[in-house]
Amino acid sequence: VELHSGDSLLIGKHGMEFKDEDGGPYSLFVLLRATKVVSYRRASDFYTKIYSVADLVVPTPDKIVTSSGQVETRDKRAEIRRQFRSLIELIMHRIRPTTWIDAGGCGEISPYVTNLSLVVSQSPEVHEEIVDLLEQLKRQQGIQVSLSAEIVHLPQEMVERVGIDLNPQKGRTTLTPREARMFRAFVAGSPKKTDIRCLAKVALVNGQQAEVSVPPQPKGGKESGRLLIQTITSKDQRNVWLYAVVSGNDLSAPVASHTADIPDGHSLLYDVTDQWPMADYPEMRTFLLTTPTIVVVEEEEERIGIFPPGTHS
């Protein structure tokens, strides 16, 4: 019987073939419904290909910025298997999902951790799409995010005067480049007791994390907290998805996490007074100002006169 998507087929048996517990006859019916139609292809049309994915599955080491401003790295090679799983899931969801063996198809994909490769058995059309997807993912690795993080201390009266309009639920606001410049100038030029300091300036590979130790205020003593931050660029390279976790050394203080989609070059200003309070100045508010800027490595190299071999004379 040939069924199309949405068609139903009712199969039934009548008579004395079936009896209930009391011996009475009953009829049995089975309703079949076609919910999805997938194309069938003989496995003999498939072929196996090995893809080198070392640059996609070896994690980029996270950066750690100490309270003295030094940048260290932390390797995450133990996460290679997790990176393999994520890559395989991405391929199976993005490329012909119904053709894979887990969905009833004939396609197979397996990690080969020893030489950091994927072994794929699929149709020629799927192999072409895999090549395109892997090339796209590798091109995205040529994107970096230049991130600056600044800590700002303002008296409550100055907060009201400068007109900072924070989202009441999220305690943050987005500033355009012009607004951010005006805000920095206002803080730096204020006669009141204000303070703005650079916590870190780091260049992150797309998706990389940075951990920043927050120096004490005033200087001296142990660090007053930590900032964990991650940036991921949008596909059109116009926005940066920012994830930040702010924690203090005081275990009783709440840990704040922020996620925001910020236009390239804009700044995110958020209130972190609960995490990084100034104990000697309770009237002061503490803010964190983060500014991510997308840098396309190839474009930056061309700008400063670095060209791949054979492309410029």
Side-chain angles (χ1 to χ4, degrees):
V1 178
E2 181 178 345
L3 296 179
H4 298 280
S5 181
D7 290 351
S8 299
L9 177 66
L10 184 65
I11 303 174
K13 277 286 188 178
H14 300 274
M16 302 296 293
E17 293 91 342
F18 304 100
K19 296 183 179 181
D20 57 24
E21 295 178 353
D22 298 326
Y26 67 91
S27 300
L28 176 66
F29 294 90
V30 177
L31 178 65
L32 304 177
R33 181 181 296 275
T35 58
K36 183 184 295 185
V37 176
V38 297
S39 59
Y40 173 77
R41 185 165 189 146
R42 298 190 311 274
S44 59
D45 296 335
F46 288 25
Y47 67 91
T48 300
K49 185 175 180 179
I50 299 176
Y51 296 90
S52 176
V53 293
D55 45 355
L56 296 178
V57 298
V58 175
T60 303
D62 290 343
K63 293 189 175 181
I64 304 172
V65 183
T66 65
S67 56
S68 62
Q70 294 181 332
V71 179
E72 304 172 353
T73 59
R74 178 173 54 201
D75 200 351
K76 282 193 170 182
R77 288 186 176 272
E79 295 187 3
I80 287 180
R81 291 186 182 275
R82 184 182 64 83
Q83 298 281 6
F84 260 115
R85 287 196 298 270
S86 298
L87 180 58
I88 290 173
E89 289 175 2
L90 176 64
I91 292 173
M92 294 176 65
H93 281 87
R94 288 274 296 271
I95 301 176
R96 313 282 182 102
T98 59
T99 66
W100 300 98
I101 196 167
D102 290 350
C106 299
E108 296 185 70
I109 181 169
S110 303
Y112 191 48
V113 180
T114 304
N115 64 353
L116 301 175
S117 300
L118 286 177
V119 181
V120 181
S121 174
Q122 262 289 4
S123 65
E125 295 86 353
V126 172
H127 278 297
E128 290 179 5
E129 294 185 38
I130 291 175
V131 170
D132 291 340
L133 176 60
L134 294 181
E135 288 179 353
Q136 177 185 344
L137 293 175
K138 292 175 181 179
R139 282 197 302 269
Q140 289 181 350
Q141 290 192 324
I143 300 173
Q144 293 184 352
V145 177
S146 175
L147 177 72
S148 70
E150 300 162 275
I151 188 170
V152 183
H153 297 292
L154 284 176
Q156 177 60 39
E157 59 181 272
M158 297 294 292
V159 175
E160 298 170 357
R161 182 178 169 185
V162 76
I164 298 175
D165 186 19
L166 299 178
N167 182 301
Q169 283 77 39
K170 300 180 179 180
R172 70 186 190 217
T173 188
T174 301
L175 305 178
T176 65
R178 180 175 181 272
E179 291 172 336
R181 287 193 301 270
M182 292 177 62
F183 176 73
R184 292 186 184 96
F186 174 83
V187 175
S190 174
K192 298 286 185 179
K193 185 176 179 60
T194 61
D195 178 40
I196 181 168
R197 289 177 295 150
C198 179
L199 289 180
K201 285 187 177 181
V202 291
L204 302 175
V205 176
N206 194 21
Q208 190 178 12
Q209 291 183 347
E211 183 178 319
V212 181
S213 297
V214 182
Q217 175 67 26
K219 292 183 179 179
K222 63 180 182 179
E223 61 200 28
S224 59
R226 288 186 175 274
L227 166 67
L228 177 66
I229 199 161
Q230 182 181 30
T231 56
I232 299 176
T233 61
S234 63
K235 186 176 181 180
D236 59 8
Q237 300 177 20
R238 294 182 179 180
N239 289 55
V240 177
W241 181 82
L242 184 73
Y243 172 66
V245 178
V246 183
S247 60
N249 283 333
D250 184 357
L251 298 180
S252 63
V255 175
S257 61
H258 298 267
T259 57
D261 198 23
I262 312 171
D264 179 28
H266 286 51
S267 301
L268 186 67
L269 180 72
Y270 31 106
D271 191 340
V272 293
T273 305
D274 290 341
Q275 288 74 40
W276 302 337
M278 295 185 69
D280 297 333
Y281 304 95
E283 75 281 3
M284 298 290 282
R285 298 274 292 280
T286 305
F287 295 90
L288 182 65
L289 183 67
T290 55
T291 307
T293 304
I294 298 173
V295 179
V296 180
V297 177
E298 291 182 358
E299 294 178 359
E300 183 66 12
E301 289 178 346
E302 291 179 5
R303 185 184 71 81
I304 63 178
I306 300 176
F307 299 90
T311 62
H312 183 72
S313 56

